[in-house]
Amino acid sequence: MLCCVRTHPFQRLRNPLSPGSRAGLGAALVLLGFLSAVEAADGSGAHYLALMAAAPAIAAIFASWRVVVGVGGTATVAAVAFAFSEPAASLGTATSVATIVLVTALVAVGAGARQRQTEQIAELSKLASVAQQAVLRPIGPQVGTLAVAARYISSTATAEIGGDLYEAINTPYGVRMIIGDVRGKGLDAVRLASIVLGSYRHVAHERADLRAVVSDLDRAVARSVGDEDFVTAALVEERGGTLTIVNCGHPPPLLLRRGCVIPLEPPAPAPPLGFMPVVQPRVERLEPGDRLLLFTDGLGEARRDGEFFPTADRAWRLLGHGTVADGLASLETALVEWVYGRLDDDIALVLMEYAGPRSEATVAVPSWEVGTTEG
């Protein structure tokens, strides 16, 4: 059985006004009330009616076109009421009323155009955010034996979109992570980041050697970009407590161990993906409680008054407490305070913690086999 719910006509008008519309409406009504009071107190004729056209004009600065029309209609009604209160309506009075109507029509058109533009910008911002989320899937809180958290900090408040990328995958060869930064911004950067991540999510399960993963990613980038485009990247593999890192022109990860912060520089520099990098792995033996921070160059380039954010000096104090998610939240808060809320570049962060070797699971004996013997 279908049930049809009817909406009352006035119910559609009860949608709450936006803050801009409320501000515009409030300012316009205050002005309209003031002019009406002055006009009523004058009493010698309609001298201030033309000024009422300023009310819809003020409303149009912030409010929607519907609010502007409502204010203009109210101003027109008030002007007509004052005109009829005169002993004899003059040509000037009629002109004032016509001016209010004309100004209302013009500013309502302008408010409508501004409103459509604002809605388009909001829709593009929403699409950009959806595109970014489609590229950067949520990771953690646990990937294999590692506790992992990731964070993306956008340099713009309007749209979280850029070329920073990260991923963590549990593979037959251990937990593998990548962090990278595409040259450039916008949809082209997001497109290339999606190509890199799509290729990585496939080859990370297929290649036993991280150097082979780098070669595959380099070919994927070379097929998709111009001569001057590239992707810096650092790839990490944790397997049985052994950490392997290969670096393609990317900021080195930071190892946090017992209060110390150790930059894991590569044995030899290598160019970014797209320039045929030949990488040399760096191998470290992890200890229980070790944490590893992967980040893009937006963190290293964040500065205020010419002074860069002291990542290495503050890393242990900010990242060495609570969960890995707590650590990244503390780092973001300190970073935003350092730059006074103004970042020049997007930042991707990944923090992982090694808890130690996984203990072997104990297999329970079924109750019906307890006490039985083979005979």
Side-chain angles (χ1 to χ4, degrees):
M1 180 178 178
L2 296 177
C3 179
C4 179
V5 179
R6 298 185 61 184
T7 302
H8 194 276
F10 290 105
Q11 188 173 352
R12 294 191 293 268
L13 301 177
R14 295 175 186 166
N15 295 329
L17 296 176
S18 66
S21 292
R22 289 197 297 269
L25 178 60
L29 292 180
V30 168
L31 176 61
L32 194 57
F34 173 76
L35 292 175
S36 298
V38 171
E39 185 67 50
D42 184 49
S44 61
H47 297 145
Y48 305 98
L49 296 185
L51 295 178
M52 291 184 176
I58 290 177
I61 298 176
F62 303 105
S64 65
W65 68 269
R66 291 184 176 86
V67 173
V68 172
V69 171
V71 171
T74 303
T76 302
V77 171
V80 171
F82 279 114
F84 276 110
S85 67
E86 293 184 29
S90 64
L91 178 61
T93 302
T95 302
S96 298
V97 174
T99 299
I100 297 173
V101 174
L102 179 60
V103 170
T104 299
L106 292 176
V107 297
V109 171
R114 175 185 51 78
Q115 184 178 357
R116 287 191 298 271
Q117 184 179 23
T118 302
E119 291 173 352
Q120 289 174 355
I121 293 174
E123 185 65 21
L124 289 175
S125 178
K126 181 179 179 181
L127 290 174
S129 179
V130 170
Q132 189 77 25
Q133 294 172 9
V135 173
L136 298 179
R137 303 183 304 192
I139 62 175
Q142 193 78 22
V143 181
T145 60
L146 302 178
V148 182
R151 211 169 186 92
Y152 190 97
I153 307 173
S154 176
S155 61
T156 59
T158 54
E160 295 184 355
I161 187 166
D164 293 21
L165 59 96
Y166 55 77
E167 182 60 286
I169 304 174
N170 192 15
T171 76
Y173 310 105
V175 177
R176 286 179 165 177
M177 295 179 284
I178 184 175
I179 191 161
D181 190 357
V182 176
R183 178 182 178 271
K185 292 181 177 292
L187 292 177
D188 287 339
V190 173
R191 179 186 63 83
L192 183 53
S194 67
I195 291 173
V196 173
L197 286 175
S199 300
Y200 176 76
R201 288 162 182 158
H202 172 70
V203 299
H205 290 276
E206 304 296 328
R207 304 296 189 188
D209 193 330
L210 282 181
R211 289 170 292 188
V213 176
V214 169
S215 297
D216 289 341
L217 295 180
D218 178 67
R219 287 192 291 270
V221 171
R223 288 192 299 264
S224 307
V225 300
D227 294 337
E228 298 182 356
D229 295 323
F230 57 84
V231 181
T232 67
L235 285 75
V236 176
E237 175 187 288
E238 184 279 323
R239 187 174 187 181
T242 298
L243 187 72
T244 304
I245 303 171
V246 293
N247 196 311
C248 305
H250 199 78
L254 299 180
L255 176 64
L256 285 70
R257 172 178 292 169
R258 298 194 302 270
C260 297
V261 179
I262 308 167
L264 299 182
E265 299 280 355
L273 298 173
F275 293 147
M276 295 185 293
V278 178
V279 295
Q280 295 185 26
R282 173 164 181 166
V283 179
E284 298 283 339
R285 188 66 187 173
L286 291 174
E287 299 177 3
D290 282 354
R291 290 188 172 187
L292 187 72
L293 175 67
L294 310 175
F295 57 94
T296 54
D297 59 5
L299 177 61
E301 296 173 357
R303 57 185 175 180
R304 70 176 182 192
D305 303 328
E307 186 177 359
F308 292 98
F309 181 74
T311 303
D313 294 339
R314 294 193 178 188
W316 177 261
R317 186 174 43 159
L318 294 172
L319 301 171
H321 66 89
T323 66
V324 287
D326 294 334
L328 289 187
S330 297
L331 176 58
E332 180 179 1
T333 300
L335 178 65
V336 172
E337 290 178 353
W338 177 269
V339 298
Y340 304 120
R342 298 178 180 178
L343 289 170
D344 295 328
D345 195 7
D346 296 349
I347 301 172
L349 303 170
V350 178
L351 182 64
M352 73 86 165
E353 180 178 10
Y354 176 69
R358 178 183 292 176
S359 59
E360 295 295 330
T362 302
V363 179
V365 179
S367 59
W368 60 82
E369 293 185 6
V370 176
T372 61
T373 58
E374 294 183 349

